[in-house]
Amino acid sequence: EYEGPVNILQSKLFQWSGDASVYDKDEPYIELVTSPNNPDGTIRTPVVKSDAEGNVVYDLAYYWPQYTPINHELNQDIMLFTFSKCTGHAGSRIGWALVKDIEIAKKMVLFLHLSSIGVSKESQVRAAKIIEVICDGHENSKSTPSDRLFFEYSKEMMKERWEKLKAAVEQSKVFTLPKYPSAYCHFTKEISEQYPAFAWLKSVEGIEDAESYLEKLKILTRGGKQFGVDAAYVRISMIGTDDEFIELCTRLENAKIE
């Protein structure tokens, strides 16, 4: 999803070079590592093999315990986070970065100032308060019922949705889903599966364009070609409203090969 923003800037300083796993140019580069990855939910690590000087930027938008086990401590040079995927408050338009190099951090602040004249103070106050409430709950977890702890509640909801989606996909036999490994989560202190925010579906033989097929069932998705793969793949959101998700599963259950 970074290709669009990179290309629209039409910068003379950089350009989009495509799949990092095949990058072999002898020139400076910036590798973007999305982990868990959007759209397929997999855990990613740097893959560029070039000997040239480069920087790695970690996009950790979905590295939260309701989506994936927190199984290792992150200590990277540049790490990006977003409030929208952490708590669902996308409308607040709040994100943050942890950056080791102070000069890079200064350039990021300057870019924010020039592009948007800073970040809304109202949004910052709202985000700070929400994070405070979440942290207070988990810090006092011994006296707080688990179903009132934000990440516990969110994880259970994601687990239930994935179980319903898997059942719907299995009944229709039109799509397949990735299999995710279980891992120990240091946050929840238990072995856990992954429950990605998006379902990465692959259509069976006979359906060449999964996005168009689902559109006929009145299910709007993003097709694989928008993510650099073929049209047999499609991304479906798992984080809509309850009514929307129930309707999604119902329509998937009724999907049949014509």
mmCIF file of all heavy atoms in Angstrom, residues 10 14 31 36-37 44 53 63 69 80 112 126-127 133 140 145 174-175 179 182 189 191 203 213 222 230 237 251 257:
data_model
loop_
_atom_site.group_PDB
_atom_site.id
_atom_site.type_symbol
_atom_site.label_atom_id
_atom_site.label_comp_id
_atom_site.label_asym_id
_atom_site.label_seq_id
_atom_site.Cartn_x
_atom_site.Cartn_y
_atom_site.Cartn_z
ATOM 1 N N GLN A 10 6.016 11.972 -6.741
ATOM 2 C CA GLN A 10 6.861 12.221 -7.911
ATOM 3 C C GLN A 10 8.180 12.890 -7.504
ATOM 4 O O GLN A 10 8.628 13.855 -8.117
ATOM 5 C CB GLN A 10 6.108 13.089 -8.929
ATOM 6 C CG GLN A 10 4.867 12.418 -9.491
ATOM 7 C CD GLN A 10 4.170 13.252 -10.546
ATOM 8 O OE1 GLN A 10 4.495 14.411 -10.759
ATOM 9 N NE2 GLN A 10 3.220 12.657 -11.227
ATOM 10 N N PHE A 14 13.642 9.862 -4.604
ATOM 11 C CA PHE A 14 13.391 8.435 -4.424
ATOM 12 C C PHE A 14 12.307 7.960 -5.387
ATOM 13 O O PHE A 14 11.571 8.765 -5.960
ATOM 14 C CB PHE A 14 12.966 8.136 -2.981
ATOM 15 C CG PHE A 14 11.800 8.973 -2.512
ATOM 16 C CD1 PHE A 14 10.496 8.642 -2.838
ATOM 17 C CD2 PHE A 14 12.016 10.114 -1.739
ATOM 18 C CE1 PHE A 14 9.433 9.412 -2.412
ATOM 19 C CE2 PHE A 14 10.952 10.897 -1.308
ATOM 20 C CZ PHE A 14 9.661 10.537 -1.645
ATOM 21 N N GLU A 31 13.889 0.088 3.106
ATOM 22 C CA GLU A 31 13.033 -1.099 3.081
ATOM 23 C C GLU A 31 11.923 -0.946 4.117
ATOM 24 O O GLU A 31 12.183 -0.635 5.285
ATOM 25 C CB GLU A 31 13.840 -2.357 3.380
ATOM 26 C CG GLU A 31 12.982 -3.622 3.344
ATOM 27 C CD GLU A 31 13.772 -4.888 3.609
ATOM 28 O OE1 GLU A 31 14.991 -4.787 3.855
ATOM 29 O OE2 GLU A 31 13.168 -5.984 3.570
ATOM 30 N N PRO A 36 2.686 -7.451 11.834
ATOM 31 C CA PRO A 36 2.132 -8.392 10.865
ATOM 32 C C PRO A 36 1.806 -7.700 9.539
ATOM 33 O O PRO A 36 1.426 -6.530 9.534
ATOM 34 C CB PRO A 36 0.861 -8.902 11.545
ATOM 35 C CG PRO A 36 1.073 -8.657 13.002
ATOM 36 C CD PRO A 36 1.871 -7.398 13.072
ATOM 37 N N ASN A 37 1.936 -8.453 8.479
ATOM 38 C CA ASN A 37 1.792 -7.877 7.151
ATOM 39 C C ASN A 37 0.327 -7.634 6.788
ATOM 40 O O ASN A 37 -0.559 -8.394 7.171
ATOM 41 C CB ASN A 37 2.422 -8.811 6.113
ATOM 42 C CG ASN A 37 2.463 -8.187 4.735
ATOM 43 O OD1 ASN A 37 2.911 -7.067 4.569
ATOM 44 N ND2 ASN A 37 1.986 -8.915 3.735
ATOM 45 N N ARG A 44 6.835 -10.483 9.334
ATOM 46 C CA ARG A 44 7.864 -10.195 8.339
ATOM 47 C C ARG A 44 9.157 -9.717 8.991
ATOM 48 O O ARG A 44 9.149 -9.139 10.082
ATOM 49 C CB ARG A 44 7.375 -9.125 7.358
ATOM 50 C CG ARG A 44 6.171 -9.543 6.502
ATOM 51 C CD ARG A 44 6.543 -10.608 5.496
ATOM 52 N NE ARG A 44 5.441 -10.967 4.611
ATOM 53 C CZ ARG A 44 5.195 -10.362 3.451
ATOM 54 N NH1 ARG A 44 5.958 -9.353 3.040
ATOM 55 N NH2 ARG A 44 4.184 -10.750 2.697
ATOM 56 N N GLU A 53 24.099 0.892 1.197
ATOM 57 C CA GLU A 53 23.628 1.436 2.471
ATOM 58 C C GLU A 53 22.119 1.596 2.438
ATOM 59 O O GLU A 53 21.553 2.082 1.455
ATOM 60 C CB GLU A 53 24.292 2.790 2.723
ATOM 61 C CG GLU A 53 23.879 3.436 4.047
ATOM 62 C CD GLU A 53 24.522 4.794 4.257
ATOM 63 O OE1 GLU A 53 25.340 5.204 3.391
ATOM 64 O OE2 GLU A 53 24.207 5.441 5.268
ATOM 65 N N TYR A 63 0.808 -4.764 15.247
ATOM 66 C CA TYR A 63 1.534 -5.516 16.265
ATOM 67 C C TYR A 63 0.928 -5.243 17.642
ATOM 68 O O TYR A 63 1.522 -4.574 18.500
ATOM 69 C CB TYR A 63 3.023 -5.171 16.230
ATOM 70 C CG TYR A 63 3.881 -6.158 17.012
ATOM 71 C CD1 TYR A 63 3.943 -7.497 16.647
ATOM 72 C CD2 TYR A 63 4.622 -5.747 18.117
ATOM 73 C CE1 TYR A 63 4.714 -8.405 17.355
ATOM 74 C CE2 TYR A 63 5.407 -6.636 18.822
ATOM 75 C CZ TYR A 63 5.442 -7.958 18.442
ATOM 76 O OH TYR A 63 6.213 -8.858 19.153
ATOM 77 N N PRO A 69 0.330 -12.831 18.574
ATOM 78 C CA PRO A 69 1.083 -12.983 19.826
ATOM 79 C C PRO A 69 2.260 -11.999 19.878
ATOM 80 O O PRO A 69 2.976 -11.833 18.893
ATOM 81 C CB PRO A 69 1.588 -14.432 19.751
ATOM 82 C CG PRO A 69 0.641 -15.123 18.826
ATOM 83 C CD PRO A 69 0.251 -14.092 17.814
ATOM 84 N N LEU A 80 7.004 2.426 13.331
ATOM 85 C CA LEU A 80 5.789 3.220 13.151
ATOM 86 C C LEU A 80 4.587 2.509 13.770
ATOM 87 O O LEU A 80 4.424 1.292 13.618
ATOM 88 C CB LEU A 80 5.525 3.454 11.665
ATOM 89 C CG LEU A 80 6.667 4.029 10.825
ATOM 90 C CD1 LEU A 80 6.208 4.194 9.376
ATOM 91 C CD2 LEU A 80 7.153 5.360 11.402
ATOM 92 N N LEU A 112 6.003 16.659 9.034
ATOM 93 C CA LEU A 112 4.651 16.790 9.586
ATOM 94 C C LEU A 112 4.227 18.256 9.638
ATOM 95 O O LEU A 112 3.089 18.602 9.315
ATOM 96 C CB LEU A 112 4.605 16.196 10.996
ATOM 97 C CG LEU A 112 4.486 14.681 11.105
ATOM 98 C CD1 LEU A 112 4.609 14.242 12.553
ATOM 99 C CD2 LEU A 112 3.150 14.212 10.536
ATOM 100 N N ARG A 126 -7.463 13.253 23.138
ATOM 101 C CA ARG A 126 -8.370 12.105 23.117
ATOM 102 C C ARG A 126 -7.580 10.794 23.146
ATOM 103 O O ARG A 126 -7.893 9.877 23.922
ATOM 104 C CB ARG A 126 -9.246 12.140 21.859
ATOM 105 C CG ARG A 126 -10.269 10.993 21.801
ATOM 106 C CD ARG A 126 -11.017 10.964 20.477
ATOM 107 N NE ARG A 126 -11.752 12.196 20.269
ATOM 108 C CZ ARG A 126 -11.500 13.040 19.263
ATOM 109 N NH1 ARG A 126 -10.531 12.771 18.400
ATOM 110 N NH2 ARG A 126 -12.198 14.128 19.130
ATOM 111 N N ALA A 127 -6.528 10.714 22.315
ATOM 112 C CA ALA A 127 -5.725 9.500 22.256
ATOM 113 C C ALA A 127 -5.026 9.233 23.587
ATOM 114 O O ALA A 127 -4.973 8.099 24.065
ATOM 115 C CB ALA A 127 -4.696 9.607 21.132
ATOM 116 N N VAL A 133 -6.713 5.070 29.997
ATOM 117 C CA VAL A 133 -7.759 4.179 30.505
ATOM 118 C C VAL A 133 -7.392 2.715 30.259
ATOM 119 O O VAL A 133 -7.552 1.857 31.140
ATOM 120 C CB VAL A 133 -9.110 4.517 29.847
ATOM 121 C CG1 VAL A 133 -10.159 3.458 30.204
ATOM 122 C CG2 VAL A 133 -9.587 5.896 30.282
ATOM 123 N N ASN A 140 -4.138 -2.786 36.626
ATOM 124 C CA ASN A 140 -4.940 -3.252 37.769
ATOM 125 C C ASN A 140 -5.743 -4.495 37.390
ATOM 126 O O ASN A 140 -6.870 -4.685 37.848
ATOM 127 C CB ASN A 140 -5.891 -2.129 38.233
ATOM 128 C CG ASN A 140 -5.149 -0.873 38.645
ATOM 129 O OD1 ASN A 140 -4.222 -0.938 39.440
ATOM 130 N ND2 ASN A 140 -5.552 0.260 38.101
ATOM 131 N N PRO A 145 -12.306 -7.538 35.971
ATOM 132 C CA PRO A 145 -12.730 -8.725 35.216
ATOM 133 C C PRO A 145 -12.084 -8.739 33.833
ATOM 134 O O PRO A 145 -11.950 -7.696 33.190
ATOM 135 C CB PRO A 145 -14.250 -8.547 35.117
ATOM 136 C CG PRO A 145 -14.607 -7.643 36.260
ATOM 137 C CD PRO A 145 -13.441 -6.721 36.418
ATOM 138 N N VAL A 174 -15.447 -22.310 -1.681
ATOM 139 C CA VAL A 174 -15.069 -21.483 -2.820
ATOM 140 C C VAL A 174 -13.708 -20.819 -2.593
ATOM 141 O O VAL A 174 -13.003 -20.507 -3.548
ATOM 142 C CB VAL A 174 -16.146 -20.408 -3.096
ATOM 143 C CG1 VAL A 174 -15.721 -19.459 -4.207
ATOM 144 C CG2 VAL A 174 -17.461 -21.079 -3.460
ATOM 145 N N PHE A 175 -13.349 -20.659 -1.321
ATOM 146 C CA PHE A 175 -12.090 -19.995 -0.975
ATOM 147 C C PHE A 175 -11.291 -20.823 0.030
ATOM 148 O O PHE A 175 -11.833 -21.710 0.693
ATOM 149 C CB PHE A 175 -12.356 -18.608 -0.375
ATOM 150 C CG PHE A 175 -12.949 -17.624 -1.343
ATOM 151 C CD1 PHE A 175 -14.322 -17.458 -1.427
ATOM 152 C CD2 PHE A 175 -12.124 -16.870 -2.167
ATOM 153 C CE1 PHE A 175 -14.866 -16.548 -2.317
ATOM 154 C CE2 PHE A 175 -12.665 -15.959 -3.060
ATOM 155 C CZ PHE A 175 -14.028 -15.801 -3.140
ATOM 156 N N LYS A 179 -2.969 -20.617 6.904
ATOM 157 C CA LYS A 179 -2.865 -21.229 8.222
ATOM 158 C C LYS A 179 -1.769 -20.507 8.995
ATOM 159 O O LYS A 179 -0.650 -20.374 8.508
ATOM 160 C CB LYS A 179 -2.549 -22.718 8.098
ATOM 161 C CG LYS A 179 -3.685 -23.524 7.477
ATOM 162 C CD LYS A 179 -3.341 -25.005 7.426
ATOM 163 C CE LYS A 179 -4.496 -25.807 6.828
ATOM 164 N NZ LYS A 179 -4.176 -27.265 6.769
ATOM 165 N N SER A 182 0.806 -21.005 15.922
ATOM 166 C CA SER A 182 0.593 -20.515 17.277
ATOM 167 C C SER A 182 1.939 -20.135 17.890
ATOM 168 O O SER A 182 2.981 -20.643 17.489
ATOM 169 C CB SER A 182 -0.089 -21.578 18.141
ATOM 170 O OG SER A 182 -1.364 -21.900 17.620
ATOM 171 N N LYS A 189 0.461 -13.974 28.324
ATOM 172 C CA LYS A 189 1.051 -15.102 29.066
ATOM 173 C C LYS A 189 0.387 -16.433 28.708
ATOM 174 O O LYS A 189 0.088 -17.267 29.567
ATOM 175 C CB LYS A 189 0.924 -14.859 30.585
ATOM 176 C CG LYS A 189 1.578 -13.579 31.075
ATOM 177 C CD LYS A 189 3.089 -13.624 30.888
ATOM 178 C CE LYS A 189 3.798 -12.461 31.596
ATOM 179 N NZ LYS A 189 3.494 -11.153 30.997
ATOM 180 N N ILE A 191 -0.197 -19.450 25.101
ATOM 181 C CA ILE A 191 -0.022 -19.800 23.700
ATOM 182 C C ILE A 191 -1.232 -19.299 22.932
ATOM 183 O O ILE A 191 -2.383 -19.508 23.341
ATOM 184 C CB ILE A 191 0.111 -21.325 23.515
ATOM 185 C CG1 ILE A 191 1.319 -21.857 24.301
ATOM 186 C CG2 ILE A 191 0.249 -21.674 22.041
ATOM 187 C CD1 ILE A 191 2.652 -21.364 23.779
ATOM 188 N N SER A 203 -9.235 -17.819 -4.092
ATOM 189 C CA SER A 203 -10.323 -18.540 -4.734
ATOM 190 C C SER A 203 -9.842 -19.867 -5.302
ATOM 191 O O SER A 203 -8.679 -20.020 -5.671
ATOM 192 C CB SER A 203 -10.949 -17.694 -5.851
ATOM 193 O OG SER A 203 -9.970 -17.347 -6.819
ATOM 194 N N TYR A 213 -15.903 -11.659 -8.444
ATOM 195 C CA TYR A 213 -16.834 -12.710 -8.019
ATOM 196 C C TYR A 213 -17.588 -12.292 -6.757
ATOM 197 O O TYR A 213 -18.807 -12.421 -6.664
ATOM 198 C CB TYR A 213 -16.065 -14.010 -7.769
ATOM 199 C CG TYR A 213 -16.906 -15.100 -7.162
ATOM 200 C CD1 TYR A 213 -17.703 -15.934 -7.946
ATOM 201 C CD2 TYR A 213 -16.925 -15.293 -5.781
ATOM 202 C CE1 TYR A 213 -18.489 -16.924 -7.381
ATOM 203 C CE2 TYR A 213 -17.706 -16.284 -5.204
ATOM 204 C CZ TYR A 213 -18.481 -17.092 -6.006
ATOM 205 O OH TYR A 213 -19.260 -18.078 -5.442
ATOM 206 N N ARG A 222 -10.751 -5.793 -1.680
ATOM 207 C CA ARG A 222 -9.614 -5.307 -2.452
ATOM 208 C C ARG A 222 -8.916 -6.512 -3.049
ATOM 209 O O ARG A 222 -8.513 -7.438 -2.327
ATOM 210 C CB ARG A 222 -8.654 -4.499 -1.580
ATOM 211 C CG ARG A 222 -9.272 -3.227 -1.028
ATOM 212 C CD ARG A 222 -8.219 -2.313 -0.428
ATOM 213 N NE ARG A 222 -7.335 -1.782 -1.458
ATOM 214 C CZ ARG A 222 -6.328 -0.952 -1.207
ATOM 215 N NH1 ARG A 222 -6.074 -0.588 0.041
ATOM 216 N NH2 ARG A 222 -5.562 -0.500 -2.181
ATOM 217 N N ASP A 230 -1.682 -12.148 -7.936
ATOM 218 C CA ASP A 230 -2.699 -12.327 -8.972
ATOM 219 C C ASP A 230 -4.115 -12.149 -8.430
ATOM 220 O O ASP A 230 -4.344 -12.065 -7.222
ATOM 221 C CB ASP A 230 -2.544 -13.687 -9.666
ATOM 222 C CG ASP A 230 -2.784 -14.863 -8.737
ATOM 223 O OD1 ASP A 230 -3.865 -14.928 -8.146
ATOM 224 O OD2 ASP A 230 -1.880 -15.725 -8.622
ATOM 225 N N SER A 237 -12.013 -7.240 5.203
ATOM 226 C CA SER A 237 -11.836 -6.674 6.533
ATOM 227 C C SER A 237 -12.542 -7.514 7.593
ATOM 228 O O SER A 237 -13.666 -7.981 7.397
ATOM 229 C CB SER A 237 -12.378 -5.243 6.582
ATOM 230 O OG SER A 237 -12.307 -4.730 7.897
ATOM 231 N N ARG A 251 -23.237 -14.191 3.532
ATOM 232 C CA ARG A 251 -23.053 -14.131 2.078
ATOM 233 C C ARG A 251 -21.931 -15.061 1.621
ATOM 234 O O ARG A 251 -22.011 -15.666 0.538
ATOM 235 C CB ARG A 251 -22.773 -12.695 1.644
ATOM 236 C CG ARG A 251 -23.962 -11.775 1.897
ATOM 237 C CD ARG A 251 -23.750 -10.354 1.410
ATOM 238 N NE ARG A 251 -24.859 -9.496 1.805
ATOM 239 C CZ ARG A 251 -25.016 -8.227 1.428
ATOM 240 N NH1 ARG A 251 -24.105 -7.667 0.642
ATOM 241 N NH2 ARG A 251 -26.053 -7.529 1.838
ATOM 242 N N ILE A 257 -19.705 -22.156 -6.634
ATOM 243 C CA ILE A 257 -19.080 -22.104 -7.959
ATOM 244 C C ILE A 257 -20.176 -22.276 -8.997
ATOM 245 O O ILE A 257 -20.924 -23.246 -8.984
ATOM 246 C CB ILE A 257 -18.025 -23.208 -8.127
ATOM 247 C CG1 ILE A 257 -16.911 -23.008 -7.101
ATOM 248 C CG2 ILE A 257 -17.458 -23.195 -9.549
ATOM 249 C CD1 ILE A 257 -15.839 -24.063 -7.166
#
